[in-house]
């Protein structure tokens, strides 16, 4: 084997330009595949991380009627927070969110929105809910955080409160752009309470936050939970209860049953992102599949030509003491070594190139936002060992197969024919 | 090793050709002792190359026995046959069959690589072999930079570098002019005498026949004549 490897290396290097052309193209394939995989891995990681930070936390309990993909369920998707979850809320390990439908009337237009109530003092999600507390305290002259103690919520001992004349609200940048709203603007918000009665009240935009998670931004208005409960006539109720990251680990930390509410773990919540990233990855694979195909075709072609041109040499190798299987192995090694050299070459120029790519990222065009996935302004690729090793194994394996394919017929060749230059 | 280096007993080779078959060798029984300088002569199709291929373990007989270095080759696996060739048999071809991508040195070194000899020993033996064929100064050349005669001398060096018991030479002078033919025949005769290597030729070149000490004439796959020649001729002056 050692001798064959030595011979294969000699033959490969001696083949000169033909070898290096194959190696250069194949090394390019290595770099492109790793770059693309890393980019989509980075996209997935970024989207998942942002979604966890802004929306999913460490998992969620959903009201049984809640289906985020079916707007018609929103009206009924609310209920008293299950008693089993109240200790978690009291311990700051979970935060309830109430969701109802409403309509916003910015500058005479109307925009259907989801009104979401969130505890202003929560620290679980990165939504800057503290602005709701500060603004409310400012406008009401009293301290809202003191009113919204977690223990009070946990016990369900709500007291009726007055709905402020101007409800403080925070929105995301996308929503602000759609509704053409700025901080300090006041806009009419209309909703329907639990008894079916419509009501309306001005909301004042106290903060506009920037997030890459569209599902907490576009078409969403965030107001204090207690205010929304009061507005909707749903005291002590919520639609989802979001857990703090790590709260569900180990799973024994969370209640197995919570009054019929359904527990959704992160794997479930992130499956859309995973599927979307997988779809995007597969779609983008076309480019590097073509590149890979061309590289492998070039190697296949080289192998076929080699066998055709070196048939007498093959006979001589057998005469000098190689078996036919060893000759097949030699040719397969020669072909596969293209991929080894390509990997080395790719490492030489690809490492600095991909390192720079990983540190600077890729600035996304605005239009990319419409993909429906949490993408930042700049995509930061993530090059894991798995991606690199996987790519190397993939290309090495394919090259070995493509090299073996034409060489395998040599195992049936008669050395006496080969010595006469006759290819069977 | 005591006893003959090559022994064939009723060696027969039949090539099937559709409904018919061609008998290339028909019950050929021959014995070659160590150090012989023998040649198979005869017209095309008489079975010379077939005999060499079987003796060289590149082919197998249809029936009969071929015993090389005490080993009956029909029973050998491909790996064992390759081992026998690697160890005991050197080949010289009409078309030289040098590896074009290797230097002269690397071509000669090749059989030693297969034997797994250490680098120092390889170097010593390669240079020794190149000295025998008077090409030590061309060690770094490529085969494409050599004349036909030089190429065949490299092929001889490659065949004898491992000091095999048998060298099989199939029409070694067919592609050479008279001067180069005599040169390589001189070299082969010297090596035969100095190293006691058995040289077995297939030829119809009169120049080669002049050098043989034993001439076996094959006709239609049978041994027509097996003669011991008194003394090999000295080559005539080249004009």
């Amino acid at each position: 084997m050692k001798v064959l490897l030595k011979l294969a290396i000699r033959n490969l290097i001696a083949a000169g330009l033909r070898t290096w052309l194959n190696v250069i193209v194949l090394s390019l394939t290595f770099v492109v595949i790793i770059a693309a995989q890393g980019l989509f891995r980075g996209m997935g990681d970024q989207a998942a991380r942002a979604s966890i930070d802004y929306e999913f936390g460490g998992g969620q309990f959903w009201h049984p009627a809640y289906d985020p993909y079916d707007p018609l369920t929103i009206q009924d998707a609310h209920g008293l927070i299950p008693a089993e979850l109240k200790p978690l809320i009291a311990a700051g390990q979970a935060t309830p969110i109430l969701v109802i439908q409403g309509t916003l009337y910015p500058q005479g237009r109307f925009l259907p929105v989801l009104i979401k109530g969130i505890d202003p003092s929560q620290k679980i999600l990165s939504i800057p809910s503290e602005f709701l507390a500060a603004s409310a305290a400012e406008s009401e002259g009293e301290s809202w955080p003191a009113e919204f103690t977690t223990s009070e919520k946990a016990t369900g001992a709500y007291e009726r409160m007055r709905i402020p004349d101007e409800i403080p609200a925070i929105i995301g940048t996308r929503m602000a752009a759609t509704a053409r709203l700025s901080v300090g603007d006041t806009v009419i918000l209309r909703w329907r309470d639990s008894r079916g009665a419509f009501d309306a009240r001005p909301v004042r935009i106290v903060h506009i936050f920037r997030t890459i998670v569209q599902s907490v931004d576009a078409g969403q208005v965030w107001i204090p939970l207690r205010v929304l409960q009061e507005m909707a006539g749903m005291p002590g109720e919520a639609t989802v209860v979001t857990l703090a990251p790590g709260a569900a680990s180990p799973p024994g930390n969370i209640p197995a049953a919570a009054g019929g509410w359904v527990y959704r773990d992160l794997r479930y919540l992130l499956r859309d992102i995973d599927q979307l990233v997988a779809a995007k990855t597969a779609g983008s694979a076309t480019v590097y599949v073509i590149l890979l195909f061309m590289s492998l075709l070039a190697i296949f072609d080289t192998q076929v030509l080699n066998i055709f041109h070196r048939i007498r040499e093959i006979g001589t190798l057998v005469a000098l003491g190689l078996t036919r299987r060893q000759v097949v192995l030699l040719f397969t090694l020669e072909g596969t070594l293209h991929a080894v050299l390509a990997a080395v070459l790719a490492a030489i120029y690809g490492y600095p190139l991909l390192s720079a790519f990983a540190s600077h990222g890729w600035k996304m065009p605005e239009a990319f936002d419409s993909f429906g996935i949490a993408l930042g302004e700049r995509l930061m690729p993530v090059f894991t060992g798995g991606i690199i090793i996987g790519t190397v194994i993939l290309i090495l394996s394919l090259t070995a197969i493509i090299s073996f394919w034409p060489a395998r017929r040599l195992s049936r060749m008669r050395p006496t024919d080969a010595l006469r230059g006759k290819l069977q | 090793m005591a006893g003959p280096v090559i022994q064939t007993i009723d060696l027969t080779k039949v090539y099937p050709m559709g409904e018919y078959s061609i008998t290339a060798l028909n019950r050929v029984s021959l014995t070659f002792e160590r150090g012989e300088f023998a040649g198979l002569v005869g017209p095309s199709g008489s079975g010379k190359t077939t005999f060499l291929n079987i003796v060289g373990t590149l082919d197998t007989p249809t029936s009969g026995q071929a015993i090389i270095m005490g080993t009956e080759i029909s029973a050998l696996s491909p790996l064992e046959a390759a081992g026998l060739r690697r160890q005991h048999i050197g080949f010289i071809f009409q078309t030289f069959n040098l590896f074009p991508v290797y230097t002269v040195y690397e071509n000669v070194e090749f059989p030693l690589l297969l034997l797994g000899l250490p680098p120092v020993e390889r170097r010593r033996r390669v240079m020794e072999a190149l000295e025998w064929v008077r090409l030590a100064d061309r060690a770094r050349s490529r085969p494409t930079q050599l004349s036909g005669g030089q190429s065949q001398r490299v092929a001889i060096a490659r065949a004898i570098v491992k000091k095999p018991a048998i060298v099989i030479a199939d029409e070694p002078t067919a592609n050479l002019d008279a001067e180069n033919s005599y040169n390589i025949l001189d070299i082969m005769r010297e090596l035969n005498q100095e190293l006691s290597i058995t040289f077995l030729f297939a030829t119809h070149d009169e120049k080669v026949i002049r050098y043989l000490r034993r001439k076996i004439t094959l006709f239609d796959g049978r041994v027509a004549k097996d003669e011991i020649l008194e003394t090999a001729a000295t080559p005539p002056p080249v004009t």
Side-chain angles (χ1 to χ4, degrees):
Chain A
M1 183 69 183
K2 197 175 157 188
V3 173
L4 292 181
L5 188 63
K6 195 180 284 186
L7 294 176
I9 292 169
R10 273 187 188 180
N11 287 337
L12 204 62
I13 291 170
L17 187 63
R18 196 171 47 192
T19 295
W20 293 113
L21 281 176
N22 287 338
V23 166
I24 287 167
V25 175
L26 201 54
S27 77
L28 198 65
T29 311
F30 266 108
V31 174
V32 170
I33 289 179
I34 292 172
Q37 295 281 335
L39 191 65
F40 285 104
R41 173 65 184 259
M43 179 200 273
D45 282 4
Q46 190 180 44
R49 204 167 41 246
S51 297
I52 288 169
D53 289 348
Y54 278 88
E55 190 174 15
F56 301 141
Q60 290 180 330
F61 278 93
W62 287 3
H63 183 273
Y66 180 58
D67 178 359
Y69 300 110
D70 183 0
L72 298 177
T73 64
I74 300 290
Q75 192 174 343
D76 301 320
H78 57 88
L80 285 172
I81 296 168
E84 296 90 335
L85 299 178
K86 287 184 176 172
L88 282 172
I89 296 169
Q93 289 295 298
T95 189
I97 292 168
L98 177 63
V99 184
I100 68 166
Q101 288 171 310
T103 310
L104 207 61
Y105 293 87
Q107 290 121 34
R109 297 178 296 135
F110 77 93
L111 279 177
V113 292
L114 285 180
I115 310 168
K116 291 188 171 176
I118 187 169
D119 178 359
S121 63
Q122 66 81 30
K123 302 286 181 212
I124 291 169
L125 298 175
S126 297
I127 291 168
S129 53
E130 68 274 12
F131 284 95
L132 296 172
S135 303
E138 194 179 290
S139 62
E140 297 295 314
E142 56 185 308
S143 170
W144 275 48
E147 275 191 308
F148 281 77
T149 58
T150 50
S151 61
E152 192 180 24
K153 281 199 294 290
T155 56
Y158 287 90
E159 290 178 9
R160 298 287 299 179
M161 66 171 291
R162 190 179 66 81
I163 300 171
D165 293 336
E166 275 190 351
I167 301 167
I170 58 173
I171 56 174
T173 48
R174 290 175 186 79
M175 179 65 190
T178 307
R180 294 179 204 150
L181 290 171
S182 308
V183 172
D185 286 354
T186 304
V187 60
I188 296 295
L189 177 67
R190 192 178 74 142
W191 70 94
R192 201 171 146 190
D193 66 19
S194 60
R195 292 177 298 278
F198 284 98
D199 200 352
R201 191 72 57 101
V203 294
R204 186 159 57 89
I205 307 302
V206 296
H207 183 70
I208 295 171
F209 59 93
R210 177 176 289 275
T211 177
I212 61 173
V213 184
Q214 291 192 49
S215 51
V216 298
D217 178 347
Q220 320 266 313
V221 177
W222 294 82
I223 64 174
L225 176 65
R226 279 204 61 180
V227 173
L228 182 58
Q229 288 171 334
E230 200 64 40
M231 286 159 55
M234 302 172 186
E237 292 189 4
T239 304
V240 297
V241 174
T242 303
L243 302 177
S249 179
N253 284 357
I254 56 167
W261 285 43
V262 186
Y263 176 62
R264 301 296 190 191
D265 62 9
L266 278 180
R267 200 170 59 177
Y268 179 89
L269 294 169
L270 294 172
R271 72 194 193 290
D272 284 352
I273 292 173
D274 293 341
Q275 285 168 4
L276 193 63
V277 169
K280 294 284 167 210
T281 308
S284 74
T286 314
V287 173
Y288 58 75
V289 163
I290 291 171
L291 200 56
L292 185 61
F293 177 76
M294 284 168 60
S295 313
L296 294 178
L297 194 66
I299 291 170
F300 181 84
D301 190 44
T302 303
Q303 288 289 90
V304 172
L305 278 176
N306 266 342
I307 289 166
F308 186 73
H309 284 304
R310 290 165 62 190
I311 190 68
R312 233 182 256 274
E313 180 186 326
I314 290 164
T316 310
L317 286 168
V318 175
L320 291 179
L322 289 185
T323 61
R324 283 177 293 186
R325 278 187 179 187
Q326 285 172 320
V327 174
V328 172
L329 183 60
L330 174 67
F331 274 75
T332 307
L333 269 175
E334 274 185 44
T336 310
L337 279 172
H338 282 100
V340 175
L341 288 178
V344 173
L345 184 65
I348 291 169
Y349 73 84
Y351 180 76
L353 207 66
L354 295 179
S355 297
F357 188 30
S359 57
H360 292 101
W362 186 15
K363 188 161 174 22
M364 300 302 297
E366 287 295 321
F368 218 70
D369 208 34
S370 61
F371 270 3
I373 182 173
L375 295 177
E377 290 174 352
R378 198 170 279 279
L379 271 185
M380 305 304 284
V382 176
F383 301 114
T384 61
I387 288 176
I388 294 167
I389 292 168
T391 306
V392 170
I393 290 174
L394 172 79
I395 295 183
L396 274 179
S397 309
L398 288 175
T399 313
I401 292 167
I402 221 73
S403 305
F404 170 74
W405 198 297
R408 78 195 194 286
R409 64 186 298 181
L410 296 177
S411 65
R412 298 189 299 271
M413 170 209 66
R414 281 202 297 266
T416 48
D417 285 338
L419 281 169
R420 289 205 307 266
K422 187 176 158 192
L423 188 63
Q424 287 166 316
Chain B
M1 189 201 119
V5 289
I6 301 168
Q7 186 180 13
T8 64
I9 303 165
D10 292 338
L11 196 66
T12 302
K13 181 70 181 180
V14 178
Y15 291 109
M17 307 285 281
E19 291 178 15
Y20 306 98
S21 60
I22 294 174
T23 304
L25 288 176
N26 194 352
R27 302 172 66 88
V28 174
S29 297
L30 287 168
T31 300
F32 297 90
E33 301 295 335
R34 187 168 188 91
E36 284 204 39
F37 203 74
L40 303 170
V41 299
S44 292
S46 59
K48 303 185 297 291
T49 299
T50 304
F51 184 84
L52 291 192
N53 284 339
I54 293 173
V55 166
T57 74
L58 296 173
D59 207 349
T60 49
T62 308
S63 65
Q65 286 183 301
I67 301 162
I68 312 300
M69 302 300 292
T71 306
E72 213 288 288
I73 62 161
S74 302
L76 294 180
S77 68
L79 194 64
E80 289 166 333
L84 190 68
R85 288 195 297 275
R86 197 180 304 159
Q87 200 80 40
H88 297 298
I89 305 171
F91 286 88
I92 299 169
F93 304 99
Q94 178 183 339
T95 48
F96 323 135
N97 291 21
L98 299 179
F99 301 131
V101 297
Y102 293 175
T103 62
V104 165
Y105 181 93
E106 288 165 344
N107 265 284
V108 179
E109 187 192 25
F110 188 88
L112 304 180
L113 277 173
L114 296 184
L115 286 175
L117 294 184
V120 175
E121 178 64 8
R122 288 206 304 265
R123 177 158 189 81
R124 189 188 66 74
R125 288 216 201 174
V126 171
M127 292 317 293
E128 187 183 38
L130 287 175
E131 293 287 349
W132 282 329
V133 297
R134 296 184 279 281
L135 278 175
D137 57 332
R138 302 304 301 267
R140 298 166 78 91
S141 302
R142 301 261 170 198
T144 48
Q145 297 168 311
L146 303 177
S147 67
Q150 287 172 324
S151 294
Q152 195 60 301
R153 276 148 65 192
V154 175
I156 293 170
R158 184 177 66 183
I160 53 95
V161 71
K162 61 189 175 189
K163 296 184 181 163
I166 306 159
V167 168
I168 290 170
D170 191 359
E171 307 277 8
T173 56
N175 281 345
L176 301 178
D177 59 23
E179 185 181 358
N180 278 310
S181 296
Y182 287 126
N183 276 338
I184 68 137
L185 285 165
D186 280 338
I187 289 167
M188 286 193 278
R189 188 166 61 180
E190 280 170 35
L191 290 165
N192 166 252
Q193 286 166 356
E194 285 184 27
L195 303 175
S196 290
I197 296 173
T198 303
F199 276 80
L200 186 55
F201 296 88
T203 186
H204 24 48
D205 184 347
E206 280 302 322
K207 297 188 287 295
V208 178
I209 295 169
R210 280 167 176 268
Y211 277 75
L212 300 178
R213 289 202 299 273
R214 181 180 174 193
K215 184 172 91 172
I216 299 141
T217 307
L218 293 180
F219 191 80
D220 281 349
R222 291 176 184 274
V223 177
K225 200 189 282 182
D226 185 353
E227 331 167 57
I228 302 295
L229 306 176
E230 277 304 307
T231 46
T234 47
V238 178
T239 53

